Every structure is written in C-alpha cells, then in structure tokens.
Amino acid sequence: MSSQSAGNEPPTNFASSSRGPRAHSAPGSLSDSVELVKFEVLSILKDTVWPWRSTDTAHDLIRTIENASSLANIPKDNNHIQAEHRASLERFIVVMENVQSKLKGASNTYKTKKKGLRRTLEKVTEYEERSKCKPLLESCQAEVQDALASLPDQWNHEIPTGTVYLRVADAGAAC
C-alpha cells in the first residue's frame, strides 16, 4: 500500500520516508522533519476510506493539521529556533510519528481508496472494526492539538542572542 496519492508529491529535500523522520537523529532541519511527517500523516488520512461514522473526525484531523498556523514559516535553520521552541518542535514530531503509526495500522484495516466489487466485499467484512475507528481518530486529534498548543503562533526568524541581564539599578534608571 502506498500512502501517497496520485499527483501528490512528498515535500522536496527528503530521502525515502520508509524509516520515518526522527527529530533526534535527522541530519536535516526541524522544519524539514515537520513537513515530512505532516505530509505522511495527511497522505494516510486522505488515502484511506474511513468508515462513514468516522469521516467527519478524519476530516477534522486533516483540517487541524493543514490549518495550523504554528506550522507555517518554521525557520529552516535550526539556529534560528529558540531552545524551548526547538524542544516543542521535537515533541510535535514525535507525536506526529506516533499518530502516523496509529493511522497506518487503522489504514491497513480500512484499506486505501479502491473501487469495485472487491472493495464492497472488504467493507462488509470490516463492519466490526468500524466502532474502533472514531475513538482512534479522536485520540489522534487530541494528541495533535496538544502538541500544536505548545508551539508559537508565529516564528521569529532572527537568530536568538544570549540572555541579556539588566541590573536592578539600571532598570530603575531606565524607567
């Protein structure tokens, strides 16, 4: 099963996605890792025929990821990302990798989009598994929203400098 749609190409600058991005070992930028894991999760979500009771939840998760303002304009240079935001991005990548793993398992159950008699027969045999899908998607949604909440709404592309200490005596004079 391929997690890529026809016509959709993975973001550039990425090697094979078979091993998945790893925030702690990826040689590229965190921005590239975020884009890759985002692409892979969205591909699974869009290329899977979710049970009809779960389609709204799947679409909500897609919208959450696609419309996340905190994922726009992440600096390409890791040195331009403040340490606390770097840790939040690494956590986001790990969360998305876990979500990707869960979705991949569910996607294998529900299969990618197919047409015809074979897909109809598969849908009939999957009936009992459908009730497990919506809670899985809801938990993925909650995990992604929690990870997004720790990211800044906008990214500052300036190189962070060292901490500036202001003496109390100087602070009083400045006021």
Side-chain angles (χ1 to χ4, degrees):
M1 174 187 87
S2 172
S3 65
Q4 295 179 6
S5 309
N8 284 345
E9 293 297 322
T12 56
N13 301 338
F14 296 117
S16 171
S17 61
S18 62
R19 67 176 180 90
R22 297 283 176 225
H24 54 274
S25 65
S29 72
L30 287 173
S31 173
D32 290 344
S33 295
V34 166
E35 286 301 315
L36 177 61
V37 74
K38 178 181 164 184
F39 174 82
E40 290 177 344
V41 168
L42 288 173
S43 293
I44 292 169
L45 284 166
K46 291 176 180 179
D47 291 348
T48 301
V49 177
W50 299 103
W52 66 272
R53 291 183 178 152
S54 302
T55 55
D56 287 342
T57 309
H59 289 299
D60 288 345
L61 182 52
I62 290 169
R63 280 190 296 275
T64 297
I65 296 169
E66 286 181 337
N67 298 335
S69 63
S70 56
L71 298 179
N73 298 319
I74 298 172
K76 294 286 185 192
D77 185 350
N78 290 347
N79 294 327
H80 290 200
I81 302 172
Q82 295 176 0
E84 66 269 12
H85 297 317
R86 194 174 307 130
S88 296
L89 273 175
E90 290 169 349
R91 179 178 170 268
F92 176 78
I93 292 167
V94 169
V95 166
M96 288 292 283
E97 288 172 339
N98 291 336
V99 165
Q100 177 186 356
S101 175
K102 291 177 187 178
L103 292 175
K104 192 175 279 187
S107 178
N108 289 337
T109 300
Y110 302 109
K111 311 292 184 223
T112 55
K113 294 181 180 178
K114 295 179 189 175
K115 296 181 181 171
L117 179 62
R118 181 177 176 197
R119 179 65 192 145
T120 302
L121 293 173
E122 287 174 354
K123 286 175 110 174
V124 171
T125 61
E126 296 166 1
Y127 183 77
E128 292 183 16
E129 292 294 319
R130 293 178 186 177
S131 62
K132 298 176 185 175
C133 186
K134 188 170 182 173
L136 172 89
L137 289 167
E138 288 171 343
S139 84
C140 290
Q141 172 92 8
E143 290 174 29
V144 169
Q145 287 176 329
D146 183 48
L148 285 171
S150 67
L151 297 175
D153 288 332
Q154 294 183 340
W155 293 92
N156 182 356
H157 288 267
E158 295 178 13
I159 298 174
T161 58
T163 306
V164 176
Y165 294 98
L166 185 61
R167 293 186 319 193
V168 176
D170 292 340
C175 293

